[in-house]
């Protein structure tokens, strides 16, 4: 699994924080605008660590995930993290692909892909 198709027109956002305000006021604001306004052709959000737990518990964030998925933003979650929090099934119900992300993230970094971390 690769995370980028064309590094000049693709952005991956690595969402690790459990801070709700960062998710609402930066992550989803930028991602949804970036995709809907054509700033990036391909966008992917990777849910990793505390963000998986936060997303599983927050209805507002879940609405933002559904909107992002509807816009064509690929939503992935680290399976190891989601399993640790016991939220893999909940994330999958939201349209998030849950899989091991260590190797794909490493490949993206080695390729020199655009990566924004929160």
């Amino acid at each position: 699994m690769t995370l980028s198709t064309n590094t000049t027109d693709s952005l991956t956002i690595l969402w690790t924080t459990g801070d709700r305000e960062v998710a609402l006021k930066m992550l989803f604001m930028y991602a949804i605008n970036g995709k809907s306004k054509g700033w990036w052709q391909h966008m992917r959000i990777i849910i990793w660590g505390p963000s998986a737990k936060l997303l599983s518990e927050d209805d507002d964030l879940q609405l933002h995930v559904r909107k992002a998925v509807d816009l064509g933003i690929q939503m992935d979650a680290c399976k190891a993290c989601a399993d640790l929090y016991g939220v893999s099934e909940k994330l999958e119900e939201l349209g998030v692909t849950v899989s091991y992300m260590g190797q794909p993230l490493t490949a993206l970094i080695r390729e020199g892909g655009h990566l924004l971390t929160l």
Side-chain angles (χ1 to χ4, degrees), residues 53-108:
K53 183 177 186 294
L54 174 66
L55 178 58
S56 73
E57 299 169 344
D58 191 301
D59 293 338
D60 289 338
L61 294 177
Q62 293 170 17
L63 291 174
H64 281 79
V65 165
R66 287 186 180 99
K67 183 173 183 178
V69 168
D70 288 346
L71 284 170
I73 297 173
Q74 175 65 41
M75 299 293 300
D76 291 304
C78 170
K79 180 170 175 39
C81 298
D83 286 350
L84 283 172
Y85 288 110
V87 300
S88 293
E89 186 175 310
K90 176 66 176 180
L91 297 180
E92 289 173 339
E93 289 170 8
L94 296 171
V96 175
T97 301
V98 179
S99 60
Y100 294 106
M101 296 304 301
Q103 191 172 26
L105 179 61
T106 301
L108 172 73

